[in-house]
Amino acid sequence: MNSTIVMISLLGAVALLLFGLAQVKDGVSQAFGVKLKTGLATGTRSGLRSFVSGLIATIALQSSTATALMTASFVERELIKPRMAQIVLLGANVGTAITAWIVAAGTEWLSPLAILVGLILFRGTSSARQGGGKALIGIGLMLLSLHLLSGATEPLRSSPALMAFVGLLDNAWPVALIFSALIAFISSSSLAAVVLILSLSSAGVLSTGLIIVLVLGANLGGAVPPVLASLSGPASVRRVTLGNLLVRGAGCAIVLPFAGYCAELLAMLPFAPTKLPVDAHLAFNVLLAALAWPFSRLTSHLMKSLISDDAPAEFGPKYLDAHELSTPVVALASATREVLGIGDLVERMLIRATDSFERYNPSRLEEVSGLERRVDLLQQEVKLYLSKLGRSGLNEEDSRRSVAIINYAINLEHIGDILEKGLVPQIAKKGMQSLQFSVEGHAEVKNFFELTQENLRIAQTIFVTRDFNLARRMMELKVEVRRMEKQSSASHLARLRDGRADSIRTSSLHLDILRDLKRINAHIVSIAHPILDEGGLLIESRLRSAAE
């Protein structure tokens, strides 16, 4: 009976830890999801920024799996280069280790304080406060679970069965590594496995060498869930997650034979012996990042040779099913997924234009026309599909949603037209004639391109979530776009008055690009109109924007 109670207490504490992790992830996503995604997508232009982006995202989300899948999806959409994605995941691994170290250092009074403050914030009205409150509650539950784990493992000190099992693992390190990896895989969290190892270590039932081996297994098992989750995805996604698994596997294979020496080395350092699992977890991931970073390009090339490219995708719609027309809710959800895909295509067009503005690449620019043809085809298919849905008669709410989907698809198609017929010829002219913007002018246009990409990602989120606060923020960004366009135009005219030769040569090009980017942003902002209109704030927002 006592052993049953111990197991229930142990499993309950682990369940509380996993629930706390989920609360932190959901809360941070609710409060800062768009900023995190945007920061992760745009913060990968160098190796150091990629590493830091992965580290911060994982500490915030409390999940290296979430960071891995998000990064892989960005690689698929060509927002992150494959090599940088591998570095992002190295940062994510270190972020998980830092989280474990912070949790292990938590004091007893911090848990109830975090839950109390989190509950107060959660009762707030804004989505950001509620998300922040949920995240704090999750942190408090994680710290509480650590104390429960410590209490649950206390009776295990005198358990003959556990001591026999630990002795078996201590004499078969590869088995111990696999056992720990299974725990991390089943819980979908290397953090949960490391915290469990920490509790057993505090009970004094594990040798130092076995602790190192179990920590290695937790790292290996934590890399498996993203691989399984991406098996049905495109090749670019599978390459990222499998590359991370192979890097961790190689690190474990190298360290495993020297686990005993590593334990002795860590024991010599001025750290508390009871914190050996989290110290080893952090040391392993920091050293692995330092060793694997220089080989990130090689890892990316290796994954490309192991996983062949996907067959060319058909240009037709993926989610529009005529059989779903009899169920409006399902049909509207499918149309929404299809239009999100159109938005991804437009984002790829915008990225190619931005890259070619930075460094002229004719082949990249030529791809814009092919993407635009797909955008035209898909938006026509969406309109036709929803027109058929409308014939069966829709209630007022479904009818409004149908109109919103069609309007967003039309706006995306207009953005594609502006890119293909406006920006692409202008960028091609700049490249073919070797025109050089002034340093200030180049920076202004580059920032405008980056703001446009960020606004499109926010619009995609608003389209799915219909978040009222994000819609208000989008209307505020409209003012920022106007301000940026006016300021850049004024600065450019000032340089013309000063007789700057580089500004004179690129004058019409500079102003035309600003004009087209402003037009694109006007179409992007339109996604907020129906949401604010439902809340009766559309006219107010427009008047406020005009006044500002």
Side-chain angles (χ1 to χ4, degrees), residues 5 42 88 131 251 255 320 352 378 461 478 489 512:
I5 294 175
T42 58
V88 168
V255 175
L320 304 183
R352 281 160 173 73
L378 291 175
T461 303
K478 184 177 182 179
S489 297
D512 286 345

Side-chain angles (χ1 to χ4, degrees), residues 32-150:
F32 311 107
V34 175
K35 291 182 179 179
L36 272 177
K37 290 179 180 178
T38 301
L40 188 57
T42 58
T44 56
R45 291 184 175 85
S46 67
L48 180 59
R49 290 180 64 179
S50 299
F51 181 85
V52 173
S53 296
L55 187 149
I56 293 175
T58 302
I59 292 177
L61 292 172
Q62 299 289 298
S63 173
S64 58
T65 298
T67 303
L69 294 176
M70 193 187 305
T71 303
S73 70
F74 287 157
V75 171
E76 179 191 2
R77 292 158 59 189
E78 301 180 7
L79 301 179
I80 298 179
K81 295 179 180 178
R83 172 177 173 261
M84 293 302 172
Q86 296 298 335
I87 298 177
V88 168
L89 297 191
L90 292 176
N93 298 339
V94 175
T96 300
I98 291 176
T99 301
W101 196 87
I102 293 173
V103 170
T107 55
E108 293 185 5
W109 58 267
L110 195 56
S111 171
L113 178 64
I115 294 174
L116 175 62
V117 176
L119 184 60
I120 294 173
L121 290 176
F122 186 71
R123 292 180 178 273
T125 55
S126 71
S127 176
R129 282 194 174 187
Q130 291 177 350
K134 187 184 292 186
L136 277 176
I137 291 172
I139 291 173
L141 293 178
M142 289 170 59
L143 295 173
L144 178 61
S145 71
L146 185 61
H147 297 303
L148 293 177
L149 278 171
S150 178

Side-chain angles (χ1 to χ4, degrees), residues 427-495:
I427 294 172
K429 176 182 177 182
K430 172 181 177 291
M432 289 187 293
Q433 297 183 13
S434 299
L435 297 175
Q436 296 293 325
F437 280 52
S438 65
V439 175
E440 301 89 345
H442 184 274
E444 291 163 4
V445 175
K446 177 186 175 183
N447 290 338
F448 210 163
F449 268 114
E450 291 176 352
L451 177 64
T452 304
Q453 289 184 36
E454 181 178 351
N455 288 348
L456 180 57
R457 291 167 193 147
I458 295 174
Q460 291 277 87
T461 303
I462 293 173
F463 177 63
V464 176
T465 63
R466 300 184 64 77
D467 186 278
F468 184 80
N469 292 319
L470 272 181
R472 286 181 65 99
R473 180 186 169 195
M474 178 62 77
M475 291 301 295
E476 293 168 359
L477 286 173
K478 184 177 182 179
V479 179
E480 174 67 15
V481 168
R482 289 177 176 174
R483 184 199 62 78
M484 182 176 287
E485 189 266 341
K486 288 181 179 179
Q487 183 176 344
S488 182
S489 297
S491 299
H492 177 70
L493 293 175
R495 290 191 292 270

Side-chain angles (χ1 to χ4, degrees), residues 49 71 100 118 120 136 159 177 181 185 195 197 210 237 298 345 355 360 389 397 408 417 454 480 511 529:
R49 290 180 64 179
T71 303
I120 294 173
L136 277 176
S159 171
L177 185 141
F185 167 68
V195 170
I197 296 167
L210 183 58
V237 171
L298 179 62
L345 290 174
D355 291 345
Y360 181 54
L389 179 65
E397 182 180 351
Y408 187 50
D417 285 340
E454 181 178 351
E480 174 67 15
L511 297 175
H529 292 173

